[in-house]
């Protein structure tokens, strides 16, 4: 299959045609969670986005190695190498071992990803399991002259690097401004006097006596910096240069900027061909995140147990809500938006089983159903525009309903294309599903089948009073029956 995919490259700030480095193989690295708390709505967006990208690349016939790390050490509370390790702090507060914290929230993360119907990644390395690789990379950066040891810690020399490289090429930050701004804001903080320059970042930190997580290194007993982890793991599993690196917009600086600098300083080549970034989830116009204390975790969405939620929302409603907006646009949370997504999803799912019931004709009086499928693929090729894909699927739903009600004639070829739009695009690439596999839904279906059968018996026996009573009572609790030539169907209203 010809690849016409164009994606927005944050590095070049423009859309570029996607050409794999080593076709048909694609290497994709996405920054994973720092597992010190339950997964929240802000986590859902990038992982849904890159799951859709992975699915589409596979649909195009490419073989994707999708690497997403688990950060379980080294991510400090502040991007300026200040404060306590986030996981160690949580462990101290909860009186747990750090790895107990890691295991608890990693399991919760995996469960949430499964409920959101994200496919398992190819490799999920942990930072704590790759200390050797990180130390080796730091040693090479020091050898190449781009890092220095200070009081047992190792810092990346940003100013030295910038003499022959474009530091800030990804984020657009200007080094002089970073240095000037840091100078104005300079405070007396633990370890900051170790740096030659405020803009320098830690590759290795010497552990203070109370620091729980620590490893031996050539420089001190300590722990790796946050940025070096992804560089080392990306290199190990995808090579010194790979196709796609993804993450949230909040990682663009300093994390991804630092990754580029470290990798170039070590290997003398750019680590990534295409950088992709999702925009933020906001709540009442403010970024949602743990550090701001305004986040709603995914379990609270699934159960409705948060003051800002008016009801529980299914994982598929959340996935649908995300995909209604382009991944590079901001997305503001609202109950109204999620409720609309839930209803729209149900409308689409209710249309799907009608496809095989449509009576076909030798002639079609619809202009071009093939165009809907072409539009979906064209939108996916245009930087993964899932919003336009869904608008075309809504048009397909309108056609299905009209053809089912015999208000429109379609051919068998048209019917096959409608089936393909659902099977390949809606369920396959977008990863949306009805989630009818759980026991509650199965029991509901069986109960409704039994009630419909009892009502049919009442009608056959001319007991119309009982038949009408069953219909009216179901209607009162939000279930509508519809009698058709093929039998009685039901839906929630």
């Amino acid at each position: 299959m010809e690849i016409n995919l164009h994606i927005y490259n944050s590095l070049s700030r423009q859309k570029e045609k996607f050409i794999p480095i080593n076709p048909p193989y694609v290497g994709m690295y996405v920054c994973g969670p720092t597992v010190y708390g339950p997964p929240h709505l802000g986590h859902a967006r990038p992982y849904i986005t890159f799951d859709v990208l992975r699915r589409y690349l596979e649909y195009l016939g490419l073989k994707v190695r999708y690497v997403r790390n688990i950060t379980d050490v080294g991510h400090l509370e502040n991007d300026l190498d200040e404060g306590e390790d986030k996981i160690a702090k949580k462990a101290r507060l909860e009186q747990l071992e750090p790895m107990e914290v890691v295991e608890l929230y990693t399991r919760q993360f995996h469960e949430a990803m499964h409920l959101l119907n994200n496919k398992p990644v190819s490799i999920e390395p942990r930072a704590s399991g790759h200390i050797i690789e990180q130390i080796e990379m730091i040693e090479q950066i020091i050898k190449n002259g781009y890092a220095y040891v200070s009081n047992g810690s190792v810092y990346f020399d940003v100013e030295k690097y910038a003499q022959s490289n474009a530091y800030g090429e990804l984020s657009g930050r200007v080094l002089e401004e970073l240095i000037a701004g840091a100078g104005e804001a300079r405070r007396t903080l633990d370890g900051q006097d170790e740096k030659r320059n405020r803009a320098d970042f830690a590759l290795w930190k010497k552990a203070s006596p109370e620091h729980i997580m620590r490893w031996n290194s050539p420089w001190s007993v300590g722990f790796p910096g946050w940025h070096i982890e992804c560089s080392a793991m990306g290199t190990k599993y995808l090579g010194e240069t790979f196709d796609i690196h993804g993450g949230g917009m909040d990682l663009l600086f300093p994390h991804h900027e630092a990754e580029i600098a470290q990798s170039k300083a070590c290997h003398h080549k750019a680590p990534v061909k295409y950088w992709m970034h999702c925009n933020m989830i906001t709540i009442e116009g403010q970024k949602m995140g743990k550090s701001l204390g305004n986040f709603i975790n995914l379990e609270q969405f699934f159960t409705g147990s948060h003051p800002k939620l008016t009801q529980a929302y299914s994982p598929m409603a959340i996935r649908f809500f995300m995909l209604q907006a382009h991944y590079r646009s901001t997305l503001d949370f609202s109950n109204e938006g999620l409720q609309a997504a839930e209803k729209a999803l149900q409308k689409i799912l209710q249309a799907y089983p009608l496809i095989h019931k449509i009576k076909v004709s030798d002639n079609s009086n619809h202009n071009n159903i093939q165009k809907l499928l072409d539009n979906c693929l064209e939108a996916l090729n245009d930087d993964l525009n899932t919003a336009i894909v869904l608008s075309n699927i809504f048009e397909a739903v309108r056609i299905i309903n009209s053809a089912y009600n015999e208000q429109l004639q379609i051919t068998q070829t048209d019917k096959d294309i409608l089936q393909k739009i659902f099977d390949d695009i809606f369920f396959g690439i977008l990863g949306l599903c009805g989630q009818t596999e759980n026991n509650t839904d199965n029991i509901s279906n069986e109960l409704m089948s039994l009630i419909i059968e009892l009502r049919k018996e009442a009608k056959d026996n001319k007991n119309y009073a009982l038949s009408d009573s069953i219909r009216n009572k179901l209607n009162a609790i939000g279930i509508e029956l519809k009698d058709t030539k093929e039998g009685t169907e039901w839906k929630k209203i």
Side-chain angles (χ1 to χ4, degrees):
M1 186 180 291
E2 186 182 357
I3 300 172
N4 291 314
L5 171 63
H6 289 72
I7 55 180
Y8 184 86
N9 190 345
S10 301
L11 189 62
S12 65
R13 296 168 183 77
Q14 62 185 11
K15 291 179 189 175
E16 298 177 9
K17 184 170 182 177
F18 177 68
I19 303 172
I21 296 168
N22 185 30
Y25 302 100
V26 175
M28 181 168 77
Y29 188 100
V30 177
C31 289
T34 301
V35 282
Y36 69 103
H40 58 75
L41 192 65
H43 286 130
R45 192 175 201 190
Y47 304 129
I48 289 171
T49 296
F50 291 105
D51 179 66
V52 171
L53 177 60
R54 182 257 196 99
R55 287 167 180 264
Y56 187 48
L57 291 170
E58 289 177 342
Y59 173 82
L60 294 174
L62 297 165
K63 300 180 186 301
V64 182
R65 177 179 286 176
Y66 180 2
V67 180
R68 184 186 65 210
N69 70 295
I70 294 290
T71 294
D72 58 357
V73 64
H75 194 168
L76 303 186
E77 294 173 283
N78 188 290
D79 286 335
L80 296 175
D81 304 318
E82 302 160 8
E84 198 171 353
D85 184 292
K86 292 183 177 185
I87 290 164
K89 180 179 180 180
K90 184 73 172 181
R92 179 173 54 77
L93 293 173
E94 300 291 333
Q95 294 185 314
L96 297 169
E97 281 289 329
M99 287 304 149
E100 285 184 276
V101 173
V102 168
E103 288 297 328
L104 171 64
Y105 293 118
T106 300
R107 283 197 299 270
Q108 287 187 16
F109 173 74
H110 287 155
E111 183 179 353
M113 294 303 102
H114 173 71
L115 290 171
L116 290 168
N117 202 30
N118 288 335
K119 294 174 70 174
V121 297
S122 310
I123 303 172
E124 191 175 58
R126 292 189 179 190
S128 63
H130 295 77
I131 300 296
I132 292 172
E133 290 85 351
Q134 293 171 70
I135 289 174
E136 288 174 349
M137 193 169 188
I138 295 168
E139 286 179 320
Q140 187 62 47
I141 294 171
I142 293 172
K143 183 179 177 181
N144 292 344
Y146 294 108
Y148 57 90
V149 182
S150 178
N151 194 30
S153 294
V154 183
Y155 294 98
F156 189 87
D157 192 334
V158 172
E159 200 163 20
K160 173 72 179 299
Y161 173 82
Q163 290 172 6
S164 54
N165 297 274
Y167 186 77
E169 60 182 326
L170 180 66
S171 63
R173 305 289 180 101
V174 178
L175 181 59
E176 289 74 15
E177 293 176 3
L178 289 172
I179 293 170
E184 293 166 11
R186 190 171 182 90
R187 305 184 301 276
T188 305
L189 288 161
D190 177 41
Q192 292 309 309
D193 56 345
E194 295 176 349
K195 296 183 182 183
R196 293 177 183 169
N197 192 301
R198 183 72 171 182
D200 295 349
F201 54 86
L203 300 175
W204 185 268
K205 289 281 285 183
K206 180 180 179 181
S208 58
E210 66 275 8
H211 198 91
I212 308 171
M213 292 185 284
R214 51 176 65 214
W215 290 265
N216 290 323
S217 81
W219 316 287
S220 65
V221 175
F223 55 94
W226 175 35
H227 311 309
I228 195 69
E229 298 172 359
C230 288
S231 291
M233 291 185 285
T235 300
K236 180 178 177 68
Y237 296 109
L238 297 173
E240 292 179 1
T241 301
F242 53 89
D243 295 289
I244 298 169
H245 195 314
M249 194 74 77
D250 56 332
L251 297 178
L252 198 142
F253 186 89
H255 187 52
H256 290 164
E257 193 75 71
E259 279 193 59
I260 291 174
Q262 291 165 163
S263 294
K264 281 188 172 182
C266 183
H267 306 301
H268 305 295
K269 61 177 74 171
V272 176
K273 191 173 180 182
Y274 305 93
W275 287 89
M276 296 179 68
H277 293 91
C278 292
N279 217 322
M280 297 294 100
I281 296 281
T282 57
I283 180 165
E284 297 168 348
Q286 188 180 33
K287 175 196 164 187
M288 183 182 290
K290 291 192 187 86
S291 59
L292 296 171
N294 67 347
F295 68 98
I296 305 173
N297 71 48
L298 287 168
E299 185 181 5
Q300 290 170 325
F301 273 100
F302 302 156
T303 60
S305 58
H306 189 281
K308 288 187 179 292
L309 300 175
T310 57
Q311 66 177 76
Y313 297 100
S314 71
M316 281 304 98
I318 290 172
R319 189 177 181 102
F320 190 92
F321 176 70
M322 300 282 182
L323 296 179
Q324 279 183 306
H326 190 270
Y327 75 90
R328 286 193 291 114
S329 65
T330 55
L331 183 59
D332 196 55
F333 157 78
S334 71
N335 280 287
E336 294 76 17
L338 274 170
Q339 287 162 10
E342 192 106 57
K343 289 177 182 175
L345 176 61
Q346 288 307 312
K347 184 177 179 181
I348 294 172
L349 291 171
Q350 286 162 7
Y352 177 66
L354 303 181
I355 297 174
H356 77 276
K357 298 179 182 180
I358 294 173
K359 293 179 180 177
V360 297
S361 172
D362 291 337
N363 298 303
S364 172
N365 57 5
H366 187 273
N367 289 335
N368 192 351
I369 292 174
Q370 175 67 44
K371 182 65 176 168
L372 291 179
L373 177 58
D374 294 342
N375 288 346
C376 288
L377 296 173
E378 188 178 311
L380 288 166
N381 282 332
D382 185 15
D383 195 30
L384 222 63
N385 199 327
T386 55
I388 291 178
V389 174
L390 286 173
S391 70
N392 281 277
I393 288 172
F394 275 119
E395 177 61 17
V397 167
R398 187 191 67 77
I399 293 168
I400 291 165
N401 289 328
S402 296
Y404 173 72
N405 292 319
E406 299 181 13
Q407 298 164 343
L408 187 70
Q409 290 182 338
I410 65 171
T411 65
Q412 182 62 49
T413 300
D414 291 333
K415 185 174 173 177
D416 292 343
I417 293 169
L418 290 170
Q419 185 81 35
K420 189 176 180 65
I421 288 171
F422 268 85
D423 292 347
D424 289 2
I425 309 294
F426 186 77
F427 297 126
I429 296 168
L430 298 188
L432 292 157
C433 64
Q435 292 183 319
T436 56
E437 70 277 4
N438 64 62
N439 291 335
T440 302
D441 283 344
N442 287 334
I443 292 169
S444 297
N445 289 330
E446 290 172 16
L447 282 173
M448 285 307 303
S449 296
L450 177 61
I451 292 168
I452 288 168
E453 185 62 32
L454 291 172
R455 178 172 172 269
K456 183 178 181 297
E457 286 180 14
K459 288 179 74 176
D460 291 345
N461 295 327
K462 299 188 180 349
N463 188 348
Y464 300 116
L466 177 58
S467 171
D468 291 344
S469 175
I470 291 172
R471 176 196 288 273
N472 294 337
K473 286 179 178 177
L474 286 173
N475 197 265
I477 61 171
I479 296 173
E480 179 182 82
L481 297 182
K482 182 180 180 182
D483 294 318
T484 71
K485 294 175 184 176
E486 287 78 21
T488 302
E489 298 168 353
W490 69 278
K491 67 176 182 178
K492 295 177 182 178
I493 55 176

